Amino acid sequence: MFAYIVRRLFLMLVTLFGISVIIFVLLRVVPGNIVDILFDAAGFVDPADKANLERELGLSQPIVIQYLHWIGGLLRGDLGYSYVSEKPALEEILPRIPITARLAGLALLFSASIGIPLGVISAVHQGSKLDYALRVVSLSGLSLPSFWLGLLVLMASVSLFGTMPIFNPNPKTWTEAFAIYAVPAMAVAFRSAALTMRITRSSMLEILRQDYIRTARAKGASEASVNYHHALKNAVLPVITVIGIEAAFLIGGLIVTETVFNIPGIARFLVEALRWRDYPIVQNLVMFIAVVVVVVNFIVDMLYAAIDPRIRFGD
């Protein structure tokens, strides 16, 4: 197990290094940079002024030197300065991380607490009217984009209450914070819950056909014990994989939702930074999302061994 963990940690470092190179190169390959954008907006181009600004921002250096400066600063905890606000990138990014984390965490909680029970119910009542109704709901969740649901929620709020939900970055109580994040989180969680439900249903149906389930029933175990103790415990592994992937996806996948609900999280900030070619912000935000994805996948693998004793990561 120790050897496996060491190999995985080494692979994580190699993966993050590759991602950092790809991020850096792709940003420079895309035509135009912030200097071009600023001079185009001014309506004229003075080659001397443009060259001075590029030199000041370090954009005139060879791409390898630029990369080494960035990755060296990243390892030291120096994320550089935003080209737009001229503030340290860390000061721009840190306040936005908790906002997106709360939204993603609440959406994930809604997704798991709704999707897993409904998936079990649908599998246990396979072929019934309830099963068909739940399958229609899950297909609807996978088909309807979250930003469309968000817009419907905003229009319904205006129609019914004459106003729309306003984001407050400093809620006074946890109930106020829950109310602020609950609506956009539910809009995001609908699709995720539908996916979790379908995976849970498929996994449960496969487990319910196993011999040991029939043996448990033959020994007189109750249906609740068979379904929730024997079946669900073994059917949950694929569900954990989906939840882990969704958790990683939500951190960077809330761009449209944060825009629709005017939430100043990192996903929306990333789009704004891309528009202005704010390299320090984009590079560091994408690296942060990459770290979250890699770490979550590692945690999911470790949970496999913790939940199912039959799984062992050996040599």
Side-chain angles (χ1 to χ4, degrees):
M1 188 68 175
F2 177 75
Y4 172 79
I5 293 176
V6 172
R7 287 199 303 269
R8 280 300 305 269
L9 291 175
F10 175 74
L11 183 61
M12 288 167 61
L13 292 176
V14 173
T15 302
L16 291 174
F17 170 73
I19 292 172
S20 70
V21 173
I22 293 172
I23 295 168
F24 197 87
V25 172
L26 287 181
L27 279 175
R28 270 71 182 174
V29 168
V30 174
N33 55 36
I34 189 169
V35 177
D36 295 325
I37 294 173
L38 292 174
F39 275 84
D40 287 345
F44 67 95
V45 178
D46 186 330
D49 290 343
K50 183 176 179 181
N52 288 334
L53 184 56
E54 287 180 342
R55 193 180 308 109
E56 190 177 318
L57 297 176
L59 300 177
S60 60
Q61 297 176 335
I63 189 170
V64 176
I65 302 299
Q66 292 183 50
Y67 174 79
L68 292 176
H69 283 166
W70 170 57
I71 207 68
L74 194 63
L75 294 175
R76 297 192 306 270
D78 179 10
L79 307 187
Y81 287 79
S82 168
Y83 291 164
V84 177
S85 66
E86 298 183 356
K87 296 179 181 179
L90 195 61
E91 291 183 8
E92 294 280 10
I93 294 172
L94 276 183
R96 292 173 167 84
I97 291 178
I99 296 173
T100 298
R102 292 189 200 104
L103 181 58
L106 193 57
L108 201 65
L109 177 64
F110 287 155
S111 171
S113 59
I114 295 172
I116 294 176
L118 291 183
V120 173
I121 293 171
S122 182
V124 170
H125 297 87
Q126 182 187 13
S128 66
K129 292 182 179 178
L130 178 59
D131 178 34
Y132 285 119
L134 291 175
R135 288 163 66 184
V136 169
V137 172
S138 68
L139 284 174
S140 301
L142 293 173
S143 305
L144 301 177
S146 58
F147 72 88
W148 185 76
L149 290 175
L151 289 173
L152 283 184
V153 169
L154 292 178
M155 288 189 291
S157 176
V158 171
S159 177
L160 295 174
F161 307 110
T163 184
M164 64 176 61
I166 299 175
F167 179 79
N168 179 9
N170 299 308
K172 297 179 180 179
T173 62
W174 71 268
T175 52
E176 183 181 350
F178 180 83
I180 291 171
Y181 289 99
V183 175
M186 283 298 295
V188 176
F190 187 48
R191 186 204 65 84
S192 185
L195 178 61
T196 303
M197 175 187 161
R198 291 188 67 83
I199 297 297
T200 304
R201 180 182 184 276
S202 300
S203 185
M204 279 288 293
L205 288 176
E206 182 180 350
I207 296 298
L208 288 172
R209 299 188 184 102
Q210 300 297 318
D211 291 339
Y212 69 88
I213 297 295
R214 286 192 288 269
T215 302
R217 287 198 174 101
K219 288 183 176 180
S222 65
E223 279 299 307
S225 176
V226 169
N227 294 331
Y228 294 97
H229 179 69
H230 293 83
L232 181 58
K233 185 177 179 180
N234 292 283
V236 77
L237 288 180
V239 181
I240 291 176
T241 302
V242 171
I243 292 175
I245 294 173
E246 287 294 301
F249 166 78
L250 284 173
I251 294 295
L254 293 171
I255 294 171
V256 177
T257 303
E258 289 185 351
T259 302
V260 169
F261 288 93
N262 197 29
I263 298 174
I266 60 173
R268 180 184 172 193
F269 188 46
L270 177 59
V271 175
E272 295 173 356
L274 275 169
R275 184 162 56 94
W276 284 100
R277 305 292 196 276
D278 197 345
Y279 294 156
I281 299 297
V282 175
Q283 292 163 180
N284 293 309
L285 278 180
V286 176
M287 278 303 297
F288 169 74
I289 295 170
V291 169
V292 170
V293 172
V294 170
V295 171
V296 167
N297 276 277
F298 176 76
I299 293 173
V300 167
D301 285 348
M302 295 300 102
L303 283 175
Y304 276 10
I307 293 175
D308 192 340
R310 297 171 297 176
I311 297 176
R312 285 294 177 266
F313 301 110
D315 295 331

